[in-house]
Amino acid sequence: MEAPHTSKEADAQNPEQTIVVSGIQPSGRLHLGNYFGAIRQHIDLHQQHEAYYFIVNYHALTSVQDADLLREHTMDVALDYLALGFDPEEAHLFIQSDVPAVTELAWIFYNLVSVGRLERGVAYKDKIEQGLTPNAGLLNYPVLQAADILIYGGTLVPVGADQKQHIEITRDLAQRFNQTFCSEDDPLFPVPEAHILDDVAVIPGVDGRKMSKSYGNTIGIFDEGKTLKKKVMSIVTDSTPLDEPKDPEACNVFALIKHFADDAKQAEIAEQYRAGGYGYGHAKKELLGLIDDYFAEARARRKELEQRPDYVMDVLRDGGRQAREQAYAFMERVRAATGLVTTY
Ligand code: TRP
C-alpha cells in the first residue's frame, strides 16, 4: 500500500493544483496596514498551498535607485516575513532577481501586449497626471508582474484591490500566449485568479486616513517602547470630554483595537466608550498594550534572526534555487513553443 500523502503532496498529484504566487515590495519597514492587508493572509495561505513569495527588487528599481537602500529593504522584508511566521519548510521565499529568467519571459510577453494597454495602466497614468515623466520600467511593470506569476504556473494571486488591473493583464497575457503559441488542448499557462485581500483602507493611520507609508501615518509592526507609545498617543481623536459617552465606531483608536482584541474584549471596551468616564487616553493605553502583546513573539524572533544573517541568507538562497529550477524547466517549454532555438 502506498503511504498516505500529506495534503500538499496530494495536491501535487492534481493538475488542478493551486499554486499561490505573490510579490512583496521591498519598501522599508512593514506597518500594521501591510500586516492586516496582506502579510497575515500570505502566512495563512502558504500553510495551505504550494506558494512562491518573492521580494520584488526588480520592480522596486522603477522607483528606488539607491543600492544600499534597496539591499537594506530587501533584507528587512525577509526578516519581517520570517519573524511573522513564514515557514521555509512550507513554501518558497526568495528574491525576485535570483530568478533572472522572469525578465526573459517578460521580454517575450512584451510582444503580446499593446503599448496602448500599458499606457492605460493605473500607476503609469497617475505619474503622467502628476506631471511626472514615468520611466519605461514603470510602463512595463505589469508585464514583469505577469512573468513573475506565470513562470511558476501560478493559479492564485493574493493581492490588494489596487492590483486588479495587473492581474487582468496577466490573465490576458496567459491567454494570448496560449492562443498564439500552443495548441488548444495543450495550453502552457494556467490563467490565474486574483484573490483580493481585505481592504487595507479599514486600517486607519494615526491621522485617520488609510495607513500608508506615503502619508507618513504608519505604526510599524516592529515598533516598540517609546516609539510605539509616541505613535499610539498621537492617534487623532475628537475632543469629546472625558466624562461624556463616546461612539466607539467613530473612533480611530477603536478601529485599531478591533484588529487586536478578541470579541469579548472589544465588547467590553465598546461598553466603556458608551458609558462615559472613559477617555481616549484610556483607550490608547489599552491599544498600546494590545499591540505590544500581539507582536511580542514576532519581535523577539526578529531580534533573534537579526543575529543570524547567515540563516536568513540560506533561506533566501534555498528558496531562490527551488524557484529557479522550476522557472528554468518552464522556460525550456516556453522557448520551444515560441521557436527560440536553444543550443545548450
Ligand atoms: N505589484 C505588486 C504590488 O505593488 C507587487 C508584485 C510584483 C506582485 N510581482 C507580483 C504581486 C506578482 C503579486 C504577484 O504590491
Side-chain angles (χ1 to χ4, degrees), residues 201-315:
V202 298
I203 318 284
V206 295
D207 60 359
R209 292 187 291 174
K210 168 182 169 172
M211 189 176 288
S212 161
K213 201 181 164 209
S214 52
Y215 292 151
N217 64 359
T218 62
I219 299 176
I221 299 172
F222 295 99
D223 283 349
E224 60 181 326
K226 278 195 188 132
T227 313
L228 179 61
K229 186 166 178 192
K230 224 172 112 191
K231 288 191 185 169
V232 170
M233 293 304 160
S234 75
I235 297 174
V236 174
T237 54
D238 64 27
S239 49
T240 316
L242 188 125
D243 294 340
E244 278 179 34
K246 299 175 184 62
D247 177 8
E249 298 305 331
C251 176
N252 293 324
V253 182
F254 192 74
L256 283 165
I257 286 177
K258 275 185 174 172
H259 289 280
F260 294 96
D262 60 25
D263 290 350
K265 185 82 191 166
Q266 278 180 46
E268 180 195 317
I269 298 172
E271 188 44 46
Q272 286 175 298
Y273 267 78
R274 293 193 184 99
Y278 183 79
Y280 292 122
H282 296 126
K284 287 178 181 179
K285 275 216 184 85
E286 189 77 65
L287 175 62
L288 181 62
L290 286 166
I291 299 179
D292 216 32
D293 290 350
Y294 195 91
F295 291 117
E297 211 181 298
R299 265 200 314 271
R301 178 136 171 81
R302 199 182 196 285
K303 285 188 185 134
E304 182 205 313
L305 288 166
E306 279 164 19
Q307 305 305 313
R308 298 165 62 202
D310 292 351
Y311 166 77
V312 178
M313 271 300 189
D314 283 348
V315 167

Side-chain angles (χ1 to χ4, degrees), residues 7 32-33 40 61 69 105 123 130 146 149-150 163 228 250 281 309 313 316:
S7 60
L32 300 182
R40 199 178 46 164
L61 280 178
L69 199 66
L105 184 57
Q130 288 170 39
I149 296 167
L150 297 175
Q163 296 294 307
L228 179 61
M313 271 300 189
L316 294 171

Side-chain angles (χ1 to χ4, degrees), residues 21-23 25 54 56 59 141 145 148-149 157 159 163 166:
V21 175
S22 199
Q25 288 282 357
F54 39 87
V56 293
H59 279 112
Y141 184 113
Q145 181 162 348
D148 274 340
I149 296 167
V157 192
V159 281
Q163 296 294 307
H166 292 165

Side-chain angles (χ1 to χ4, degrees), residues 165-235:
Q165 193 188 42
H166 292 165
I167 308 306
E168 269 310 306
I169 295 177
T170 304
R171 291 169 56 86
D172 287 354
L173 278 166
Q175 278 160 338
R176 199 62 197 269
F177 186 98
N178 292 341
Q179 280 159 12
T180 310
F181 295 114
C182 308
S183 63
E184 213 173 298
D185 51 356
D186 193 21
L188 201 50
F189 294 110
V191 181
E193 301 284 337
H195 172 86
I196 302 297
L197 301 170
D198 298 353
D199 192 352
V200 285
V202 298
I203 318 284
V206 295
D207 60 359
R209 292 187 291 174
K210 168 182 169 172
M211 189 176 288
S212 161
K213 201 181 164 209
S214 52
Y215 292 151
N217 64 359
T218 62
I219 299 176
I221 299 172
F222 295 99
D223 283 349
E224 60 181 326
K226 278 195 188 132
T227 313
L228 179 61
K229 186 166 178 192
K230 224 172 112 191
K231 288 191 185 169
V232 170
M233 293 304 160
S234 75
I235 297 174

